[in-house]
Amino acid sequence: MVTASEEYNFTSFSNLPFYTKVNERLLDLAEVGKQRKIVDLGCGTGGITKLILERLQSAKDTVIYAVDHSRTALKAAAEEIGERKDVAIKYVHSEVQNLTGAVKDKVDAVVYCNSIHYVPEKTVLVDQIKETLEPNGIFAFNTSFYEGSHPDDSLLFFRKWMMRSLRILKREHGLSADKSAKVSSRIQLKAQDYVDLVENAGFKVLVNDFNRVEVPHEGWHHISGFSDWIEGVMPGVPLDVGREALQKGLGQIWDEMELKTVPRLWLSVSAAKI
Ligand SMILES: C[S@@+](CC[C@H](N)C(=O)[O-])C[C@H]1O[C@@H](n2cnc3c(N)ncnc32)[C@H](O)[C@@H]1O
């Protein structure tokens, strides 16, 4: 039987080729192929863990700590990855803000894909990451949730998509979103705030850039089936109803605007512990 949280997980989105490309670049920045001990922070259902595994030059002697606070996501990751005899993968159930309590080892790299925007206590988190790294260890993260991540030429699409979906929600389900229930991932920092955050924690920023990513229809479609996204754009709405309204609204607006892709900016930062 599929449970609610399995049904609304991130897997279908994270397997899309455009998303893999975004994250492969971050793994390049973290020089993952050269590292022996790696933390995959906020690993979710293991999409990034699989990409890390593909890159390991010598899997022998390598340890990956896959950390997430969702037991369901960790279980899905372990099932997806299966048994590996050549590499130790430790699935760690923890809040990322408690990293030093959960991972006692010192590691060469911490990769943190598309999750940093969830955490309100970012200073505590970055201090914990620094503490977990060896000297010269690399912390690399990316996010498409920051102020300015919506390029100007995507704004009309978003406005129309949200208005249409909310209208469908009202007309077909008699429901409205509850804006007072807005979640922390929707409260966004500026890109410079992220850079300041790591510099203030004593890291040396190596790369800090934005990539314009053309997101296809299937990207918006699958993200509309992810619980965190539904809760972000339609707070307080039951997941099944929210997904249905968002996907229906998307299909209509996509056709009406004759879209091929809609762009999004991804911030990538890599920093070394000094
Ligand atoms: C959008 S998914 C990203 C998954 C994966 N990193 C990727 O890019 O494919 C975000 C993940 O962060 C986890 N997460 C969010 N807040 C967390 C926290 N405070 N502690 C641990 N995990 C957290 C969620 O459970 C979810 O699995």
Side-chain angles (χ1 to χ4, degrees):
M1 199 187 93
V2 178
T3 66
S5 48
E6 279 165 347
E7 194 181 347
Y8 298 99
N9 75 24
F10 198 59
T11 309
S12 52
F13 181 84
S14 77
N15 286 334
L16 293 173
F18 91 89
Y19 187 71
T20 300
K21 210 166 143 205
V22 167
N23 294 311
E24 283 192 320
R25 178 159 180 282
L26 196 79
L27 299 186
D28 286 344
L29 296 182
E31 301 180 14
V32 156
K34 287 205 273 180
Q35 317 291 10
R36 258 183 1 96
K37 293 184 179 175
I38 303 160
V39 171
D40 177 6
L41 208 52
C43 64
T45 51
I48 308 300
T49 324
K50 280 197 288 181
L51 295 180
I52 295 173
L53 283 166
E54 282 168 15
R55 275 163 186 252
L56 297 178
Q57 279 165 10
S58 156
K60 205 166 159 291
D61 298 332
T62 303
V63 185
I64 302 174
Y65 294 95
V67 181
D68 206 285
H69 68 179
S70 161
R71 280 192 197 282
T72 325
L74 288 172
K75 188 164 166 275
E79 281 167 7
E80 180 80 17
I81 289 164
E83 281 286 313
R84 294 278 306 221
K85 293 212 164 50
D86 53 339
V87 55
I89 308 172
K90 298 186 191 289
Y91 297 96
V92 181
H93 179 240
S94 172
E95 294 293 330
V96 292
Q97 305 89 307
N98 182 34
L99 184 61
T100 53
V103 175
K104 300 287 183 198
D105 213 357
K106 297 281 182 202
V107 303
D108 307 305
V110 173
V111 293
Y112 195 20
C113 293
N114 305 292
S115 310
I116 195 167
H117 46 271
Y118 282 97
V119 180
E121 311 90 344
K122 291 185 181 56
T123 306
V124 174
L125 169 66
V126 175
D127 285 345
Q128 295 254 321
I129 291 169
K130 190 172 174 212
E131 181 73 31
T132 304
L133 282 166
E134 295 278 12
N136 301 316
I138 294 185
F139 170 37
F141 67 91
N142 62 9
T143 177
S144 64
F145 287 88
Y146 61 93
E147 214 181 293
S149 60
H150 295 274
D152 285 349
D153 52 337
S154 69
L155 296 180
L156 182 62
F157 157 73
F158 267 106
R159 225 174 7 250
K160 286 188 175 210
W161 178 23
M162 288 307 134
M163 277 170 56
R164 181 67 56 90
S165 303
L166 289 169
R167 203 179 308 151
I168 292 169
L169 187 67
K170 184 88 193 154
R171 199 178 51 222
E172 298 184 12
H173 304 278
L175 292 175
S176 302
D178 173 9
K179 291 209 180 75
S180 66
K182 203 171 162 86
V183 294
S184 57
S185 64
R186 313 301 298 174
I187 300 164
Q188 298 179 353
L189 297 191
K190 295 191 179 70
Q192 187 59 43
D193 296 333
Y194 277 112
V195 173
D196 292 347
L197 180 76
V198 284
E199 282 183 346
N200 292 342
F203 283 92
K204 178 176 189 291
V205 172
L206 305 172
V207 173
N208 154 34
D209 65 19
F210 315 97
N211 277 298
R212 184 180 157 105
V213 177
E214 295 296 333
V215 181
H217 177 273
E218 53 189 355
W220 304 111
H221 179 84
H222 287 305
I223 205 69
S224 301
F226 177 42
S227 51
D228 293 354
W229 175 269
I230 304 169
E231 285 159 3
V233 295
M234 285 192 170
V237 173
L239 296 179
D240 55 341
V241 177
R243 175 178 61 189
E244 194 185 311
L246 285 165
Q247 291 183 341
K248 196 166 179 181
L250 173 71
Q252 292 177 4
I253 295 300
W254 201 267
D255 290 346
E256 284 168 29
M257 294 180 76
E258 298 181 7
L259 297 166
K260 299 252 180 311
T261 56
V262 172
R264 182 88 175 205
L265 294 177
W266 242 272
L267 170 68
S268 302
V269 176
S270 73
K273 172 172 169 171
I274 45 177

